[in-house]
Amino acid sequence: MKTVITSILILLIPMLGLSQQTVVSGKVQDNANKEAIPYVTVSIQDSALKTLAVGVTDDKGDFVLEKLPNGKMTITFSYIGYQNDSRTFEIISGRPKIELGTIDLHTDAVQLNAVEITGQKSSVSLKLDKKVFEVGKDVLSQNGSAHDVLNSVPSVTVSPTGGVSLRGNSSVLVLINGRQSGLTQNNALDQIAADQIERIEVITNPSSRYDASGSAGIINIILKRNKKSGFSGQVRLVAGSPNDSRLNPSINFKSDKINIFSNFGIRSSDYVGLYATNQTTTDNGKSNYLNRVQNEDRHDDGKLMYFGADYYIDEHRTITAAFLKNATEDDDKTHLLYNYSQAENVKDSVLAREGKSLEKRDYNQLEFNYTQTFKRPAKKWTIDVQYDWWNSDKNWNLSTQRLYPETLAYPGIRTNSVGNSKDLLVQSDFVQPIDTISTFEVGVKTEIRKVSSQFLAEQQEDDIWKIYQNIDNDLKYTETIASGYAQYSSKIKRFSYMFGLRTEFTKISITDSKNTYSDDKNYNRLFPSVNLSYKFDASTLQLNYSKRINRPPLYALYPFNEVTDLNAQYVGNPDLNPSYTDVFELAFLKTWKKLTLNPSVYYQWESGYIQDFTYRENNIFYTTPINIQHEIRSGIELSTLYNPAKWLQVNMEMNFYHFKQKGSYQDEDLNYEGKTFTGRLNTQIKLPAKFSFQGRYNFRGAQQNAQTKNDPLQSLDFGLSKVLLKDKATIVFDVTNAFDLRQNKSTTIGDNYYLNVNSIPNAARYRLSFVYRFNLTDPKGIRQANNANRN
């Protein structure tokens, strides 16, 4: 392939009237840990010390300098915190390409003493296939969890219950260090300390190297890795009201041959929730009214352990092994009060239900990685093996009594839900540079998942517990996804392009012990991607396309219904099918000295769109996920970053989109057309004496489909930090959901009912945290960190 391309170029040069140009390329890395170093200044001088070319290394440490004349040259590499490196070479006729290989830079101990950490603020950069949000030292990025960091990332929002959305679309795939993880499930992102996150990659149009899951795109959370030789780490303590007590130590060790990393977490948190429902139903022309109030007191205890090691076999081969364990115990108490009436404001009867839930979850993950690099820069081969297993056991105990008109105790109800899963993932990727500007990538992946879920509901009759409403079943779910991809990228002067094609074969089986649900599904799809980019002097224009799939999550497939609420239940749908999306996006990034502007327009066509459907049966409201024909969504997004002064940073983003839904279910027309708006304003102020203040306002406009309308939603967060103990420690006070502004109000209307719901899952939270760091001074702290080994 390389020979063919070279021959074509040789034939085209005379036709284009161009003279032969010499290209010099190579890669720069740290001498000790062999990590690539971005943003190294590379300059070339001739024998008369005249500068002929200047450039910088890219994110992978690679550099390419072109249009060099014949003669003896000196190339110099310079970067703060490292000793300058110079070497000579000669360009002669007939040699159009010179590859210098890998250049090792040595740290400069004297210069390190004068290094000042200047990367205090978060920044956004636009790559060929993703947008990268570098997590700086924002006040609200030092306290809390991954949820708090994500709420600072452009285009991303986190709901009060922990659901992550991208551009208002909840069909998003969340990855940790480029891989799926148990930390992205069951609200476990709340277990990741905010200051353990290095950067967030927002990939609205993923290239073919990524899984095709998630119609809205991918959010990749990159955790910090140890880069300092010897022992280093930090300890973080948090106290909050309502109770939010956390201890997060992180201890690491690095030498020339091994890098040991570890993160631990102990958490005890309380959440206070309030839900109110006003309901009107009509039967045979007669109206009935219900006012329902639900108070929640949720308590979670969590323990997180993650440790592993990188072993450097030699200059080009590295082995990584790690183990993650995330264990939680939830103790939740719920009080529900039902006021029934047959005429407004005229009480008919009053019921009260007390619920107590105990749940234990245990998630484990083993991961292994082998990475081999080569003398040729950017050439890389990786093998990944990941094995996950988790168990959960949840018990509900419910007691119900009538308080009016006379007191009456109802039989007790209890439920038990037991689940477990075993997942195996095997993946291999190979990156082959064709020349200094072109790269070919190929990879294969297999993922096998086996899940078992048992659900039992019982009602007490005297001293005997009997099955309640015939709820006693055991569901088995197996899923196999085999995929492969090929991708080619190159550039022509300022124009860069990337073309890829991915195929994914999926096999799913759902069975249960009662043979009520038995379904086997096989589907194979091609997922092309196109990423185009044109670079101006201080701006970038991109045009991207990708095809995506949204596979139903497990909870949406389980046909078991919780019986906690007398009035409403959520039931999964085993017949749910995946949806497919074609995504187009045009984005622009312009940077001035004090202002960064990033507008984009996008268009999404999603066939088989998944949405919730509510219906009434036997005086109970059931909500279940369904497929409708399609949804078409088009929008415009604008992100800005403004630094009018060294002490002030203002970030604002807006997203306006229009959607059109088409479909029907149970003879109900679900066609609907609407629009909505989301916005965020974030301000950070540097104060004297190493104080910093940050405030963030989030707004989501009204949302609606054929059944339900959600009122506008807003929230306010702010924090104050102080750096002390010679910059080794930070103390932070922050408030999330200040003044309890985040209230989700919705109205659902059907043929014979009207539901008005106000949900406040989490009350305002006040937190104080203290972080102490030891031996973390590192020259790389002033630049964008390297990609993780398995990125």
Side-chain angles (χ1 to χ4, degrees):
M1 181 69 179
K2 179 179 178 181
T3 305
V4 173
I5 293 176
T6 304
S7 301
I8 294 174
L9 290 176
I10 292 174
L11 291 173
L12 287 176
I13 286 173
M15 296 172 61
L16 298 174
L18 301 176
S19 59
Q20 180 179 305
Q21 300 174 356
T22 299
V23 177
V24 176
S25 63
K27 180 184 181 72
V28 181
Q29 67 180 20
D30 184 283
N31 175 68
N33 55 34
K34 307 305 179 184
E35 291 182 351
I37 310 178
Y39 310 126
V40 175
T41 300
V42 184
S43 59
I44 294 181
Q45 295 178 322
D46 61 15
S47 56
L49 301 182
K50 178 183 177 182
T51 300
L52 302 177
V54 178
V56 294
T57 57
D58 62 15
D59 293 341
K60 298 179 181 179
D62 298 326
F63 66 89
V64 177
L65 297 177
E66 303 173 335
K67 300 181 180 180
L68 297 172
N70 297 337
K72 293 184 177 180
M73 307 288 172
T74 300
I75 187 168
T76 302
F77 306 90
S78 59
Y79 189 76
I80 296 178
Y82 288 87
Q83 300 174 15
N84 288 350
D85 186 292
S86 297
R87 54 193 66 194
T88 59
F89 63 94
E90 184 175 2
I91 298 176
I92 58 178
S93 298
R95 190 182 178 189
K97 300 175 184 176
I98 296 178
E99 294 186 0
L100 298 180
T102 302
I103 289 88
D104 290 330
L105 293 189
H106 298 256
T107 56
D108 188 342
V110 176
Q111 197 173 16
L112 278 178
N113 295 328
V115 170
E116 179 182 358
I117 305 301
T118 58
Q120 301 291 320
K121 298 177 180 178
S122 301
S123 61
V124 180
S125 58
L126 198 61
K127 308 298 181 183
L128 186 59
D129 61 343
K130 60 191 171 187
K131 185 186 298 181
V132 181
F133 179 82
E134 297 291 336
V135 179
K137 294 188 177 180
D138 299 353
V139 178
L140 295 175
S141 292
Q142 297 181 61
N143 209 351
S145 66
H147 288 162
D148 300 282
V149 178
L150 288 171
N151 262 327
S152 296
V153 177
S155 308
V156 181
T157 56
V158 182
S159 72
T161 56
V164 180
S165 298
L166 182 57
R167 289 176 171 167
N169 190 339
S170 60
S171 174
V172 57
L173 177 64
V174 181
L175 305 176
I176 305 291
N177 291 335
R179 297 291 184 268
Q180 297 186 49
S181 168
L183 291 175
T184 66
Q185 304 172 13
N186 300 319
N187 202 23
L189 284 175
D190 194 48
Q191 288 281 75
I192 302 177
D195 54 10
Q196 294 297 318
I197 298 175
E198 183 174 277
R199 68 183 183 275
I200 307 289
E201 297 176 346
V202 179
I203 315 172
T204 52
N205 250 299
S207 64
S208 297
R209 76 164 66 95
Y210 296 98
D211 289 348
S213 300
S215 60
I218 294 174
I219 296 174
N220 188 19
I221 301 174
I222 305 297
L223 302 181
K224 293 178 180 177
R225 295 290 294 271
N226 180 34
K227 304 183 186 72
K228 177 67 177 176
S229 298
F231 283 99
S232 61
Q234 68 176 35
V235 178
R236 178 171 170 266
L237 295 169
V238 178
S241 177
N243 172 47
D244 191 7
S245 304
R246 301 171 188 252
L247 171 64
N248 296 108
S250 171
I251 302 173
N252 310 294
F253 173 78
K254 190 176 185 66
S255 67
D256 290 341
K257 296 295 292 183
I258 193 169
N259 172 36
I260 300 174
F261 49 90
S262 66
N263 289 291
F264 305 92
I266 301 176
R267 174 175 63 91
S268 174
S269 302
D270 291 326
Y271 303 88
V272 178
L274 175 63
Y275 307 83
T277 301
N278 291 306
Q279 169 187 314
T280 302
T281 57
T282 304
D283 296 303
N284 301 320
K286 184 178 180 180
S287 296
N288 297 282
Y289 304 92
L290 169 63
N291 177 267
R292 168 186 163 276
V293 177
Q294 177 179 346
N295 288 281
E296 284 186 345
D297 182 5
R298 311 188 307 274
H299 177 80
D300 296 349
D301 291 322
K303 297 178 181 178
L304 175 69
M305 176 177 65
Y306 180 61
F307 64 89
D310 302 313
Y311 178 69
Y312 308 108
I313 301 174
D314 52 36
E315 180 183 359
H316 294 291
R317 295 181 296 165
T318 304
I319 292 177
T320 299
F323 173 70
L324 166 71
K325 186 178 184 65
N326 182 30
T328 60
E329 294 187 11
D330 301 346
D331 184 355
D332 301 343
K333 296 179 177 64
T334 300
H335 174 76
L336 299 107
L337 186 65
Y338 302 84
N339 283 279
Y340 296 93
S341 59
Q342 294 184 351
E344 291 191 77
N345 302 320
V346 178
K347 185 163 56 176
D348 178 61
S349 62
V350 179
L351 295 179
R353 169 167 280 190
E354 301 289 339
K356 181 177 175 61
S357 168
L358 294 174
E359 181 177 12
K360 292 184 178 181
R361 296 190 299 268
D362 186 83
Y363 178 87
N364 306 273
Q365 177 177 296
L366 278 171
E367 56 182 88
F368 169 85
N369 168 264
Y370 171 79
T371 297
Q372 180 171 346
T373 58
F374 302 85
K375 291 183 179 180
R376 187 170 188 178
K379 184 177 181 179
K380 186 164 82 169
W381 177 42
T382 60
I383 299 176
D384 288 281
V385 179
Q386 183 174 301
Y387 181 66
D388 307 343
W389 69 99
W390 58 259
N391 302 278
S392 67
D393 190 345
K394 183 176 182 178
N395 293 282
W396 265 106
N397 287 284
L398 303 166
S399 61
T400 310
Q401 63 177 337
R402 188 171 65 194
L403 304 179
Y404 180 86
E406 66 272 344
T407 303
L408 176 64
Y410 291 92
I413 296 175
R414 69 185 185 187
T415 65
N416 174 248
S417 176
V418 178
N420 62 78
S421 174
K422 296 179 180 179
D423 307 334
L424 175 65
L425 180 151
V426 181
Q427 178 176 345
S428 181
D429 300 274
F430 183 71
V431 181
Q432 173 65 61
I434 296 175
D435 52 32
T436 56
I437 59 174
S438 303
T439 302
F440 179 74
E441 300 178 48
V442 65
V444 293
K445 176 182 177 181
T446 299
E447 187 172 4
I448 303 172
R449 165 183 272 190
K450 296 183 178 181
V451 184
S452 173
S453 180
Q454 304 173 27
F455 193 80
L456 171 66
E458 298 174 300
Q459 180 172 282
Q460 188 175 20
E461 295 182 8
D462 298 325
D463 294 331
I464 301 175
W465 289 91
K466 295 185 177 181
I467 296 175
Y468 177 67
Q469 292 184 359
N470 201 33
I471 301 176
D472 179 16
N473 212 338
D474 185 357
L475 190 78
K476 303 292 185 183
Y477 175 86
T478 60
E479 178 184 76
T480 301
I481 304 175
S483 59
Y485 77 93
Q487 184 166 282
Y488 176 78
S489 61
S490 187
K491 66 178 182 178
I492 304 173
K493 295 184 178 180
R494 294 175 177 264
F495 176 68
S496 301
Y497 57 91
M498 182 187 296
F499 301 108
L501 182 64
R502 185 180 188 91
T503 180
E504 293 190 355
F505 173 77
T506 305
K507 181 179 181 180
I508 291 175
S509 174
I510 301 176
T511 59
D512 70 319
S513 59
K514 293 185 177 182
N515 203 29
T516 307
Y517 310 98
S518 181
D519 198 0
D520 292 320
K521 297 180 180 180
N522 301 321
Y523 47 91
N524 189 20
R525 293 290 190 276
L526 294 176
F527 301 93
S529 66
V530 178
N531 303 91
L532 309 175
S533 176
Y534 188 84
K535 211 170 185 59
F536 301 92
D537 290 336
S539 59
T540 304
L541 180 68
Q542 286 190 347
L543 177 64
N544 301 320
Y545 163 77
S546 66
K547 190 174 185 66
R548 313 290 300 158
I549 182 174
N550 178 27
R551 294 183 177 89
L554 286 177
Y555 76 85
L557 297 172
Y558 288 160
F560 309 135
N561 45 322
E562 289 278 6
V563 295
T564 307
D565 191 351
L566 288 169
N567 192 60
Q569 297 179 10
Y570 181 90
V571 184
N573 179 6
D575 294 325
L576 203 61
N577 291 313
S579 63
Y580 298 91
T581 308
D582 292 283
V583 185
F584 300 85
E585 179 179 4
L586 179 65
F588 180 73
L589 181 72
K590 173 66 175 178
T591 302
W592 291 273
K593 185 176 182 181
K594 296 182 178 181
L595 176 66
T596 298
L597 192 65
N598 182 203
S600 60
V601 292
Y602 57 92
Y603 176 86
Q604 301 173 348
W605 178 294
E606 185 167 358
S607 58
Y609 179 73
I610 299 174
Q611 71 175 37
D612 286 342
F613 178 80
T614 301
Y615 62 96
R616 182 170 173 249
E617 188 175 282
N618 299 325
N619 294 321
I620 296 177
F621 288 93
Y622 294 95
T623 299
T624 187
I626 63 170
N627 294 106
I628 63 174
Q629 186 172 332
H630 68 251
E631 182 193 71
I632 303 173
R633 180 177 298 198
S634 57
I636 182 170
E637 185 179 56
L638 174 64
S639 297
T640 62
L641 185 66
Y642 182 48
N643 294 95
K646 291 183 178 180
W647 53 270
L648 177 63
Q649 181 189 59
V650 180
N651 171 245
M652 181 180 67
E653 61 173 285
M654 297 175 289
N655 178 28
F656 175 83
Y657 64 88
H658 172 272
F659 65 92
K660 187 175 182 179
Q661 298 171 343
K662 183 177 182 180
S664 62
Y665 189 76
Q666 293 185 354
D667 297 324
E668 184 170 340
D669 184 6
L670 298 178
N671 292 347
Y672 190 79
E673 187 172 355
K675 54 184 178 294
T676 193
F677 171 84
T678 62
R680 179 184 291 139
L681 179 63
N682 186 78
T683 302
Q684 180 159 303
I685 303 174
K686 275 190 175 183
L687 302 172
K690 296 186 177 182
F691 278 96
S692 294
F693 172 83
Q694 184 177 4
R696 182 174 61 216
Y697 174 74
N698 293 284
F699 176 81
R700 188 209 68 196
Q703 293 181 331
Q704 188 169 353
N705 60 27
Q707 282 194 310
T708 302
K709 177 183 178 182
N710 292 288
D711 290 354
L713 181 68
Q714 60 181 335
S715 64
L716 179 65
D717 310 317
F718 59 84
L720 181 69
S721 71
K722 162 69 175 173
V723 178
L724 60 164
L725 299 180
K726 298 181 179 180
D727 297 341
K728 292 183 178 181
T730 304
I731 187 168
V732 181
F733 172 75
D734 79 313
V735 181
T736 57
N737 192 24
F739 312 114
D740 288 323
L741 292 178
R742 180 176 279 191
Q743 300 186 23
N744 194 5
K745 300 179 181 180
S746 66
T747 302
T748 302
I749 301 176
D751 291 337
N752 57 359
Y753 64 85
Y754 174 92
L755 287 174
N756 187 278
V757 180
N758 184 17
S759 303
I760 312 175
N762 298 316
R765 187 178 297 277
Y766 306 85
R767 286 179 299 205
L768 184 67
S769 72
F770 176 80
V771 180
Y772 182 79
R773 300 169 288 274
F774 58 93
N775 197 28
L776 285 180
T777 303
D778 182 39
K780 295 186 186 127
I782 63 175
R783 63 165 173 85
Q784 174 182 338
N786 287 325
N787 292 339
N789 193 36
R790 296 187 304 103
N791 187 14

